[in-house]
């Protein structure tokens, strides 16, 4: 699994989420589906390397304020399409509010994240971008890169939906989601983030609380999928009813992305 991770100077959590077996006895094509954190701090060398992946579409799942505060850098001459949304709130991000006002403990972080995932698939901006992303998978040429800020929650949700649509086994879906915990090297990053949190909130967070907040756990994704099934009967029902992914589009995506 770790060979999916591509290391950059200042682009975190970049990896290929293709190349999985599907229920139809086929395999998701590698080198067509990529996910990452934001690209605001990438080096020139990172941009050169990024340009070599043949990315034709970038889906930026961040809020307008996030994009404004940390504008993305693109490879020189890049002429692909960027999908982003101005729907939803442009106020303070929920996780910032949580960090400023709640107990910085492992249990509090898990409770917060579970609540986030329960609502994540149904936010207006996500419904908009998820739907346009799937249309792009069926129509656009070149590889696709999806990202949010850290590349773990919004990005992880969309990657999981993609895996479901393509017939990737649930175990592989969860394993790919959890690969964030390896790609980010949580123990190494946690002290720096703890310092940033202290500067932001004036409070000291325990190391294990920071690690828990930076990482992902199966229960987060499973909570989102269970809520989808409660509201729409199934993940397939959500894809069709909420995102407009009908049979024709599903078939087109499958033909383009599996072999």
């Amino acid at each position: 699994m770790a060979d999916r991770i591509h290391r950059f100077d200042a682009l975190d959590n970049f990896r290929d989420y293709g190349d999985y077996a599907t229920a139809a006895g086929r395999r998701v094509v590698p080198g067509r589906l990529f996910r990452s954190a934001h690209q605001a701090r990438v080096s020139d060398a990172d941009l050169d390397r990024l340009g070599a992946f043949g990315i034709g579409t970038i889906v930026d799942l961040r809020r307008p304020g996030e994009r404004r505060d940390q504008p993305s850098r693109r490879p020189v001459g890049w002429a692909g399409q960027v999908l982003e949304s101005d729907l939803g709130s442009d106020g303070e991000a929920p996780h910032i509010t949580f960090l400023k006002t709640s107990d910085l403990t492992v249990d509090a972080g898990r409770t917060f994240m579970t609540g986030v995932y329960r609502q994540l698939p149904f936010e207006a901006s996500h419904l908009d971008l998820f739907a346009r992303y799937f249309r792009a998978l069926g129509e656009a040429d070149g590889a696709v890169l999806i990202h949010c800020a850290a590349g773990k929650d919004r990005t992880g949700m969309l990657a999981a939906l993609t895996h479901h649509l393509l017939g990737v086994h649930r175990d592989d879906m969860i394993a790919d989601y959890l690969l964030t915990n390896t790609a980010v090297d949580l123990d190494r990053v946690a002290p720096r983030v703890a310092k940033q949190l202290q500067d932001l909130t004036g409070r000291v967070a325990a190391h294990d609380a920071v690690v828990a907040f930076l990482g992902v756990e199966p229960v987060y994704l499973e909570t989102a999928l269970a809520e989808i099934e409660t509201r729409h009967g199934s993940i397939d029902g959500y894809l069709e009813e909420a995102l407009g992914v009908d049979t024709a589009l599903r078939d087109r995506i499958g033909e383009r992305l599996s072999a």
Side-chain angles (χ1 to χ4, degrees):
M1 291 289 287
D3 59 359
R4 298 176 174 279
I5 301 169
H6 298 268
R7 300 295 183 184
F8 289 78
D9 295 334
L11 174 56
D12 295 329
N13 208 2
F14 187 100
R15 58 193 206 256
D16 190 328
Y17 64 103
D19 201 21
Y20 287 104
T22 74
R26 307 178 79 184
R27 195 164 191 89
V28 182
V29 177
R32 293 289 302 280
L33 298 172
F34 297 103
R35 53 178 292 179
S36 76
H38 69 80
Q39 296 102 59
R41 297 191 299 267
V42 293
S43 66
D44 290 342
D46 288 340
L47 289 177
D48 289 341
R49 188 173 183 205
L50 195 59
F53 282 94
I55 295 167
T57 300
I58 295 176
V59 183
D60 188 339
L61 298 165
R62 295 177 299 167
R63 299 173 184 83
E66 293 175 292
R67 301 197 307 268
R68 183 175 58 249
D69 294 342
Q70 294 185 309
S72 296
R73 299 188 67 198
R74 308 291 184 208
V76 175
W78 187 75
Q81 65 171 335
V82 178
L83 305 183
E84 54 192 28
S85 178
D86 290 331
L87 296 177
S89 172
D90 192 24
E92 186 173 72
H95 72 280
I96 297 297
T97 303
F98 165 78
L99 292 171
K100 287 181 177 179
T101 61
S102 302
D103 293 335
L104 301 181
T105 65
V106 172
D107 288 343
R110 285 175 177 153
T111 299
F112 170 74
M113 291 305 300
T114 301
V116 166
Y117 272 82
R118 189 170 285 112
Q119 297 301 322
L120 192 156
F122 312 104
E123 293 182 14
S125 60
H126 299 158
L127 292 171
D128 172 42
L129 282 173
F130 290 6
R132 287 194 279 149
Y133 158 81
F134 282 113
R135 289 199 297 273
L137 289 187
E139 299 167 1
D141 293 324
V144 175
L145 169 64
I146 61 176
H147 77 88
C148 49
K152 69 186 186 77
D153 300 315
R154 292 165 285 189
T155 298
M157 183 78 251
L158 188 52
L161 291 171
T162 308
H163 286 149
H164 174 85
L165 182 145
L166 291 170
V168 172
H169 193 279
R170 186 77 162 244
D171 290 347
D172 286 333
M173 175 201 297
I174 297 293
D176 186 87
Y177 172 74
L178 294 177
L179 195 56
T180 281
N181 296 335
T182 300
V184 174
D185 191 0
L186 302 178
D187 282 325
R188 179 184 61 82
V189 172
R192 171 173 56 83
V193 174
K195 177 62 168 59
Q196 293 172 343
L197 291 178
Q198 186 174 359
D199 293 341
L200 176 68
T201 67
R203 295 179 294 157
V204 177
H207 177 80
D208 58 348
V210 176
V211 169
F213 187 77
L214 290 175
V216 292
E217 299 183 15
V219 67
Y220 302 159
L221 182 58
E222 289 164 354
T223 295
L225 297 176
E227 188 67 20
I228 284 173
E229 291 168 349
T230 296
R231 297 195 193 191
H232 290 274
S234 66
I235 300 174
D236 291 332
Y238 167 81
L239 288 169
E240 182 165 7
E241 296 164 10
L243 305 182
V245 183
D246 58 16
T247 301
L249 180 53
R250 290 179 70 106
D251 290 346
R252 196 156 64 244
I253 293 171
E255 287 304 311
R256 291 172 68 88
L257 291 178
S258 57

